[in-house]
Amino acid sequence: MVPKITKIPLLFLVLSLNTISAEVIWGPTIERSGGEYIFETGNKYPNLSGIRGGSRISFPRTFSLFGIQGILTKDRLEISGALKTTGWYQKSGEARDEDFFLGPVSTENTTNIATREWSYRDSATIYSGSRNFADGKGKSTVFENRAELFGRYYFQTGNPNYWVDGSGFFLSMGARYSYFKYVFYDVNQFIEGNPVFYGPIGMGLTFSNDLWEFFTGGGYRYSAGDFYLDLSFMPSFGRIKTRDFHVQRSINFFSENYGLGWASKAEVGYKMGPSWLSYLRINHRRFFSEGRFTSQGGLTRDDLTSNLVSGFKSHINIKDFSIEIGVLNKLDWSGTESENLEKVAPKTEE
């Protein structure tokens, strides 16, 4: 199956125009990511079968992204966009697939960001105090494509032009689309039974994700001399749709979740000349979601029966961070520099 390719943002169509009154900046970027992705479902109280329990699938967010970004600035307005990809399936570390029982003392913390109580719980897991009756550990690979588009408006002496000194706050809003797919393989599975089973089962599952995030927030930029500092914080709202295919059971789980989160960034840059600069950027992202999933297919009677149920509760939470480095170049498509050189150059008599 060929991985899904993201659509190119409209920004890059805008950047193809030869604008005289606007600055155009572009450059390559390399990003190293870390963190965790967790899918959970469960019920603390007995279901129709009398079982109190759930399952958890955990993937690490360890991989590298390569891409290109473009920035269009005019007066106090800035529009920026980027396309990033892993390029291929990269090893992301050890993944885990757990099935567990829940008891009277188990906890279910479903609200990570509570807008009514103004509380925040920074954990990617929902259920605690559980006991695993099945546990699979193995290797994982991940492929990801990402596209994003953001806009800013600066205040005070803040300026979207990196080469102009000034400082001030800015308002920002934008959107990011990500498609990523995990493959869970070389799995060693433990199953509590009579007798207990523990051994390799080969391929575990594949997990495809389609994530939209919408941001609004602000930040602060300070620029003086050869250096600048850029800080931002943006709360977010998002929707994620997934397909979880368990190979050994030949069953699909389709989920659709909605949730809240936030993204923050700290960036420091060095201006290498009148048209080139380099930067170091640290990104943080949190996304906590809740929704429902349905099943399709299966081999056992319980799996086939689950196809008739309208849906099951699901939680998908992402906590990741990344370190990003890149360079930016300010383009001069208007030819103003060459015109200025001609004006100041002395004329020679024939």
Side-chain angles (χ1 to χ4, degrees):
M1 179 179 176
V2 178
K4 186 176 179 182
I5 304 297
T6 57
K7 295 181 180 179
I8 298 177
L10 293 178
L11 169 71
F12 293 93
L13 297 179
V14 176
L15 295 184
S16 65
L17 300 177
N18 187 352
T19 55
I20 297 177
S21 58
E23 295 282 358
V24 178
I25 309 168
W26 77 283
T29 175
I30 301 176
E31 184 175 348
R32 181 64 177 176
S33 177
E36 56 185 338
Y37 170 102
I38 295 180
F39 171 92
E40 282 184 291
T41 182
N43 50 283
K44 185 179 176 181
Y45 303 98
N47 58 18
L48 295 177
S49 62
I51 297 177
R52 293 185 296 186
S55 63
R56 177 187 301 114
I57 302 174
S58 308
F59 289 106
R61 297 278 297 165
T62 307
F63 53 86
S64 298
L65 287 164
F66 311 90
I68 188 171
Q69 59 181 328
I71 303 173
L72 177 68
T73 66
K74 183 177 181 181
D75 299 328
R76 293 181 177 271
L77 181 65
E78 171 186 304
I79 300 175
S80 64
L83 293 175
K84 301 178 182 179
T85 180
T86 58
W88 57 86
Y89 280 94
Q90 298 184 17
K91 294 181 179 180
S92 56
E94 184 182 76
R96 192 173 183 181
D97 183 4
E98 306 168 76
D99 295 302
F100 49 81
F101 291 119
L102 294 171
V105 296
S106 302
T107 59
E108 180 180 358
N109 298 301
T110 60
T111 303
N112 289 84
I113 300 177
T115 55
R116 183 179 300 176
E117 293 82 9
W118 289 94
S119 65
Y120 172 68
R121 176 177 172 269
D122 192 27
S123 174
T125 59
I126 299 298
Y127 302 97
S128 60
S130 60
R131 182 177 68 84
N132 288 358
F133 64 86
D135 196 347
K137 295 182 179 180
K139 302 175 183 178
S140 67
T141 60
V142 62
F143 173 87
E144 178 161 342
N145 279 328
R146 188 184 300 172
E148 57 187 41
L149 182 66
F150 288 90
R152 286 182 176 185
Y153 188 84
Y154 290 81
F155 299 93
Q156 300 162 305
T157 60
N159 198 302
N161 189 333
Y162 291 90
W163 288 268
V164 175
D165 291 352
S167 62
F169 292 94
F170 59 82
L171 294 178
S172 178
M173 64 184 304
R176 177 190 294 143
Y177 171 78
S178 304
Y179 170 83
F180 53 102
K181 181 178 180 179
Y182 284 100
V183 179
F184 184 37
Y185 65 101
D186 282 356
V187 180
N188 283 298
Q189 181 79 42
F190 160 80
I191 301 177
E192 181 183 280
N194 191 16
V196 171
F197 170 81
Y198 178 77
I201 63 171
M203 179 71 75
L205 56 90
T206 63
F207 210 116
S208 304
N209 299 263
D210 192 277
L211 172 61
W212 279 97
E213 297 169 279
F214 301 92
F215 302 89
T216 180
Y220 183 83
R221 174 178 287 181
Y222 173 82
S223 180
D226 292 334
F227 294 91
Y228 73 88
L229 175 67
D230 194 286
L231 305 171
S232 67
F233 179 83
M234 291 184 290
S236 68
F237 170 78
R239 184 227 67 183
I240 184 168
K241 298 179 70 174
T242 71
R243 175 181 179 265
D244 174 16
F245 176 60
H246 286 247
V247 177
Q248 304 295 332
R249 297 164 61 187
S250 189
I251 187 171
N252 282 290
F253 297 101
F254 299 96
S255 68
E256 182 170 359
N257 286 30
Y258 294 85
L260 301 174
W262 56 268
S264 63
K265 181 187 71 173
E267 177 181 331
V268 60
Y270 174 70
K271 307 165 192 176
M272 299 181 291
S275 59
W276 287 93
L277 64 83
S278 61
Y279 64 84
L280 172 66
R281 183 182 297 162
I282 299 176
N283 304 295
H284 286 266
R285 191 261 299 270
R286 302 290 187 263
F287 177 66
F288 306 102
S289 70
E290 183 174 341
R292 298 184 69 80
F293 74 92
T294 57
S295 62
Q296 186 179 90
L299 301 175
T300 67
R301 183 183 65 179
D302 289 340
D303 285 344
L304 294 174
T305 302
S306 69
N307 295 178
L308 305 176
V309 180
S310 60
F312 304 88
K313 181 170 57 176
S314 66
H315 304 272
I316 298 175
N317 296 335
I318 302 174
K319 290 178 57 179
D320 62 13
F321 62 91
S322 66
I323 298 176
E324 183 178 354
I325 59 174
V327 295
L328 290 171
N329 172 240
K330 179 168 61 175
L331 299 181
D332 179 25
W333 291 349
S334 62
T336 55
E337 290 185 4
S338 59
E339 291 175 1
N340 291 335
L341 289 175
E342 291 178 359
K343 291 179 180 178
V344 300
K347 295 183 179 180
T348 58
E349 296 181 0
E350 297 182 356

